[in-house]
Amino acid sequence: MSLVKLIIEGISYSQTQNGAYALILNEADGDRKLPIVIGAFEAQSIAITLEKDITPPRPLTHDLFKNFADRFDIKIKQIIIHKLVDGVFYSSIICERDGIEEIIDARTSDAIALALRFDAPIFTYKGILDKAGIIFKPKNEITEKEDADEEYQDDDDLDLDDISLLDDILDDNKEADHFKNEFKNQTLEQLYVLLDTSIQNEDYEKAAYIRDEINNREA
């Protein structure tokens, strides 16, 4: 299966799940986006590395891993998002030491946080992008009727000052389940309309849930 290179486009705060963020990956040579819901700690770790000018007073977990790997001459060559099951992305870290290559299973958010620290490329398989990728339609392509019927609202950009420390991180799984259940009573036609609207509004986190519901029904 052919690999597709991904680049990080940004992080948006989840408006539906406390303590969660939507990491947006973009196809390097295309228009498709791959939204992945991640926790606040992982969002903080990724955002700090993206900013480059911010250095935490003490190493974060991913920084500690990088320091450990550097000390023992372990290099991360690439990250591959290799599987998607029930809306959950699975990733592998391809690393090397003394010319020997090893593959380590990892959460996608952790894998990407490490990829940034090692300047390692991020890939996924074409089949995963075909199934879960979303094509964004610029707002100027929305019809006049859609403009009249829909209220456009941007996701809040990630502000590092708004990310709480570990003692403030919330993982509200019950709320996430409630959010997912909202779509179970919708028809496929209604889901496709909601998906299109969410994409136009750049609400990628909501679009990801709708996309997963559609994929589950059409599987």
Side-chain angles (χ1 to χ4, degrees):
M1 296 177 64
S2 59
L3 290 173
V4 179
K5 187 174 182 179
L6 302 171
I7 56 177
I8 297 176
E9 180 170 302
I11 303 175
S12 295
Y13 183 73
S14 170
Q15 298 181 10
T16 57
Q17 184 178 351
N18 288 335
Y21 292 78
L23 171 65
I24 311 302
L25 302 176
N26 197 77
E27 186 178 12
D29 298 317
D31 299 323
R32 288 177 293 183
K33 301 179 188 296
L34 195 65
I36 300 175
V37 179
I38 64 176
F41 176 75
E42 292 77 14
Q44 181 190 48
S45 181
I46 291 171
I48 285 175
T49 311
L50 288 173
E51 288 294 329
K52 298 185 183 301
D53 295 331
I54 299 176
T55 303
R58 300 291 293 164
L60 300 177
T61 301
H62 300 108
D63 298 321
L64 177 61
F65 185 98
K66 175 66 164 57
N67 295 338
F68 181 89
D70 288 344
R71 181 66 59 90
F72 291 94
D73 197 27
I74 300 170
K75 298 178 176 60
I76 290 182
K77 298 176 63 178
Q78 62 183 10
I79 301 299
I80 300 178
I81 303 173
H82 63 84
K83 186 169 66 174
L84 172 62
V85 179
D86 294 332
V88 178
F89 292 91
Y90 294 78
S91 294
S92 295
I93 299 174
I94 314 301
C95 56
E96 183 182 75
R97 181 173 183 266
D98 295 335
I100 300 175
E101 188 173 281
E102 298 286 350
I103 301 176
I104 300 175
D105 182 49
R107 294 189 308 169
T108 298
S109 55
D110 289 329
I112 291 174
L114 290 174
L116 285 170
R117 286 162 170 78
F118 283 86
D119 292 322
I122 303 167
F123 295 95
T124 191
Y125 289 110
K126 182 178 180 298
I128 292 178
L129 197 57
D130 289 342
K131 181 178 181 181
I134 293 173
I135 298 178
F136 168 66
K137 294 181 180 179
K139 190 172 186 289
N140 57 15
E141 292 184 9
I142 302 176
T143 64
E144 292 182 3
K145 183 177 184 302
E146 289 173 323
D147 276 332
D149 293 342
E150 298 171 4
E151 178 181 356
Y152 184 79
Q153 180 179 359
D154 283 332
D155 278 338
D156 293 332
D157 290 335
L158 178 65
D159 184 347
L160 290 175
D161 292 334
D162 292 336
I163 302 179
S164 57
L165 297 176
L166 286 176
D167 56 342
D168 295 325
I169 291 174
L170 300 176
D171 186 11
D172 195 348
N173 292 324
K174 291 183 178 179
E175 184 172 344
D177 291 338
H178 173 73
F179 179 57
K180 294 176 185 178
N181 289 335
E182 288 184 15
F183 305 120
K184 293 191 179 298
N185 295 326
Q186 304 288 337
T187 66
L188 268 176
E189 289 184 358
Q190 290 172 324
L191 288 175
Y192 276 110
V193 171
L194 288 172
L195 178 62
D196 189 51
T197 301
S198 298
I199 294 171
Q200 290 165 357
N201 289 347
E202 298 186 51
D203 189 351
Y204 297 116
E205 190 261 347
K206 182 176 181 180
Y209 283 121
I210 300 172
R211 172 204 64 200
D212 293 341
E213 178 65 22
I214 291 174
N215 288 339
N216 287 336
R217 294 192 192 186
E218 295 184 337

